[in-house]
């Protein structure tokens, strides 16, 4: 018969000792019926306790899941904000990298040497023009200052160019 048969035997044995009035009272009053089964049939009480524990456990799990979901939503929001910041900074970095590459290409060794050659040629031409522009009425003190400054610049640029091309 098994467990179910044992429970029915237990129930039958318990109910046969009750009066007709008690039995009728239990049929009408669910609370009385429930109380009787809990008090006299241990398996019913055990199952109800198990149901109560499962219900309590389910409620605790549901609350834990709600808390975890709230935390997850918060973290998702933070991640989205961080993604936006990263995207913005990546865009800024692309701009900065382009500027750096542009500056690097402008200031490459070859470009610096070429600009220095052009500058040297212009400076040399200016010093020759200064010398060729002298007349008998030239202020020789002022001429000497200008001419020496221009020639000094030419010689410094020549020296720098020589060092850069070694």
């Amino acid at each position: 018969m098994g467990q179910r048969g044992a429970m029915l035997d237990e129930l039958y044995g318990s109910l046969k000792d009750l009066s007709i009035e008690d039995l009728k009272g239990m049929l009408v009053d669910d609370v009385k019926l429930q109380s009787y089964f809990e008090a006299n049939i241990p398996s019913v009480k055990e199952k109800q306790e198990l149901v109560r524990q499962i219900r309590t456990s389910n409620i605790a799990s549901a609350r834990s899941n709600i808390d975890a979901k709230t935390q997850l939503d918060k973290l998702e929001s933070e991640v989205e904000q961080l993604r936006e910041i990263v995207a913005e900074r990546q865009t800024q970095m692309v701009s900065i990298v382009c500027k750096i590459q542009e500056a690097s290409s402008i200031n490459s060794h070859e470009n610096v040497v070429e600009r220095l050659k052009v500058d040297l040629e212009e400076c040399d031409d200016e010093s020759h023009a200064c010398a060729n522009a002298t007349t008998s009425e030239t202020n020789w003190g002022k001429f000497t200052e200008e001419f020496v400054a221009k020639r000094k610049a030419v010689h410094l640029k020549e020296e720098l160019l020589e060092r850069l091309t070694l």
Side-chain angles (χ1 to χ4, degrees):
M1 236 185 343
Q3 185 179 10
R4 191 172 189 185
M7 187 172 81
L8 289 175
D9 287 342
E10 186 180 345
L11 177 60
Y12 176 73
S14 173
L15 289 174
K16 76 177 183 174
D17 296 336
L18 291 177
S19 68
I20 298 291
E21 286 79 31
D22 287 339
L23 289 173
K24 285 181 180 179
M26 283 191 285
L27 286 176
V28 177
D29 187 357
D30 286 339
V31 174
K32 254 188 192 181
L33 181 66
Q34 186 71 24
S35 297
Y36 175 80
F37 275 100
E38 285 178 7
N40 296 303
I41 315 257
S43 59
V44 171
K45 189 173 186 176
E46 288 171 8
K47 286 181 183 177
Q48 286 178 338
E49 178 61 24
L50 184 60
V51 167
R52 187 193 62 73
Q53 288 174 354
I54 290 171
R55 184 176 294 128
T56 302
S57 175
N58 286 346
I59 290 170
S61 293
R63 286 185 177 139
S64 174
N65 287 344
I66 289 171
D67 290 343
K69 174 69 170 132
T70 303
Q71 185 67 17
L72 180 63
D73 290 344
K74 181 180 174 185
L75 289 173
E76 283 177 342
S77 174
E78 288 177 20
V79 166
E80 189 56 37
Q81 289 173 350
L82 290 173
R83 283 184 176 157
E84 289 172 7
I85 290 170
V86 166
E88 180 182 316
R89 290 191 179 162
Q90 283 176 332
T91 303
Q92 292 172 351
M93 287 299 294
V94 167
S95 172
I96 291 170
V97 166
C98 287
K99 288 177 183 176
I100 289 172
Q101 288 174 339
E102 185 179 309
S104 294
S105 68
I106 290 171
N107 294 324
S108 70
H109 185 269
E110 294 81 21
N111 287 344
V112 170
V113 168
E114 286 304 313
R115 285 189 301 185
L116 187 57
K117 285 179 182 178
V118 169
D119 232 11
L120 175 61
E121 191 176 316
E122 288 174 1
C123 221
D124 193 42
D125 289 346
E126 287 176 13
S127 71
H128 287 294
C130 185
N132 292 335
T134 59
T135 63
S136 61
E137 297 177 7
T138 300
N139 179 345
W140 292 104
K142 187 176 176 185
F143 165 77
T144 304
E145 278 183 36
E146 287 179 20
F147 185 74
V148 168
K150 290 182 189 286
R151 290 310 300 166
K152 188 176 182 181
V154 167
H155 289 295
L156 289 174
K157 289 180 183 185
E158 284 175 341
E159 188 176 324
L160 181 58
L161 183 59
E162 184 178 326
R163 287 184 183 179
L164 287 174
T165 55
L166 287 179

